[in-house]
């Protein structure tokens, strides 16, 4: 009946964006994420990632730090500000502990030190998926919810609030209407 068709139209696969210049790391992420039912998009650097983010908003982002300029860190801040529902994992070489702390403060939910084992990456992906904020879309049997939001006077918060509203609203629409 109606309930079955509603379930069928709900977006099931969570998406992962992997940003790393190393082909082996991208391949490992593809394999581990695929085994968990995540659909994967890859980018070789932060610039390609920004372009990709304009076309699709992933549920999880797995990004390298991109030393020495740390452009991965700027990307984490960009994603956290624009896409508040996204779960971020940082990958870094050993010896970059200060950068790892900075990434966690900037909003990453986890980090992986290279070289990364498949098991470590799998566990990190599980944690990241678990950390994705639950939305109205995740509540079974709920078809409509009305709520009132009051935005404070801090202009710095307006952009992230509007981004959040757009994302939450988009997730309630079928892919074709987004």
């Amino acid at each position: 009946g109606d309930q079955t068709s509603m379930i069928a139209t709900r977006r099931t696969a969570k998406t992962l964006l992997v940003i790393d210049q190393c082909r082996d790391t991208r391949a490992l992420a593809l394999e581990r994420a695929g085994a968990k039912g995540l659909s994967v998009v890859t980018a070789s650097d932060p610039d390609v990632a920004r372009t990709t983010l304009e076309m699709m908003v992933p549920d999880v982002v797995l990004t390298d730090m991109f030393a020495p300029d740390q452009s991965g860190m700027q990307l984490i801040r960009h994603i956290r500000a624009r896409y508040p529902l996204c779960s971020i994992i940082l990958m870094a070489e050993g010896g970059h502990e200060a950068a790892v702390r900075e990434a966690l403060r900037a909003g990453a939910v986890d980090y992986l030190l290279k070289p990364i084992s498949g098991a470590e990456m799998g566990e990190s992906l599980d944690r990241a998926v678990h950390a994705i904020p639950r939305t109205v879309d995740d509540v079974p049997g709920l078809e409509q919810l009305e709520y009132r939001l009051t935005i404070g006077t801090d202009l710095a918060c307006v952009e992230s609030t509007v981004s959040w509203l757009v994302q939450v609203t988009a997730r309630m629409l079928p892919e074709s209407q987004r």
Side-chain angles (χ1 to χ4, degrees):
D2 289 348
Q3 201 158 10
T4 318
S5 60
M6 195 181 97
I7 293 166
T9 57
R10 181 175 290 165
R11 192 178 77 157
T12 49
K14 299 261 184 241
T15 53
L16 169 68
L17 173 61
V18 182
I19 310 143
D20 198 296
Q21 67 273 50
C22 172
R23 183 173 290 158
D24 291 346
T25 303
R26 292 196 308 262
L28 180 65
L30 211 70
E31 174 202 314
R32 287 292 157 162
K36 295 183 178 302
L38 294 164
S39 69
V40 184
V41 177
T42 63
S44 53
D45 63 63
D47 291 335
V48 174
R50 283 174 198 266
T51 306
T52 305
L53 285 163
E54 286 170 17
M55 296 182 282
M56 55 89 73
V57 179
D59 295 294
V60 179
V61 170
L62 176 62
T63 184
D64 187 62
M65 188 175 75
F66 292 94
D69 70 347
Q70 295 197 8
S71 52
M73 199 69 71
Q74 292 154 4
L75 187 64
I76 288 172
R77 289 194 190 97
H78 170 78
I79 293 168
R80 182 51 56 239
R82 297 274 313 269
Y83 313 104
L85 299 177
C86 189
S87 204
I88 307 165
I89 304 167
L90 175 77
M91 297 180 286
E93 305 283 341
H96 289 286
E97 284 71 19
V100 167
R101 279 195 301 277
E102 192 183 332
L104 293 170
R105 287 184 190 125
V109 297
D110 204 0
Y111 68 93
L112 290 165
L113 290 178
K114 292 181 168 185
I116 303 163
S117 75
E120 285 175 312
M121 187 177 285
E123 289 166 15
S124 184
L125 289 171
D126 284 342
R127 285 191 292 271
V129 167
H130 189 72
I132 296 168
R134 300 312 246 176
T135 65
V136 172
D137 212 11
D138 294 318
V139 181
L142 188 65
E143 288 179 22
Q144 187 175 359
L145 174 71
E146 292 182 19
Y147 52 94
R148 177 178 301 171
L149 297 173
T150 307
I151 299 176
T153 55
D154 184 356
L155 293 177
C157 298
V158 172
E159 186 178 339
S160 64
T161 304
V162 171
S163 293
W164 178 83
L165 277 168
V166 168
Q167 280 184 49
V168 169
T169 305
R171 284 175 183 222
M172 293 180 195
L173 298 172
E175 200 83 44
S176 60
Q177 292 179 359
R178 287 183 195 173

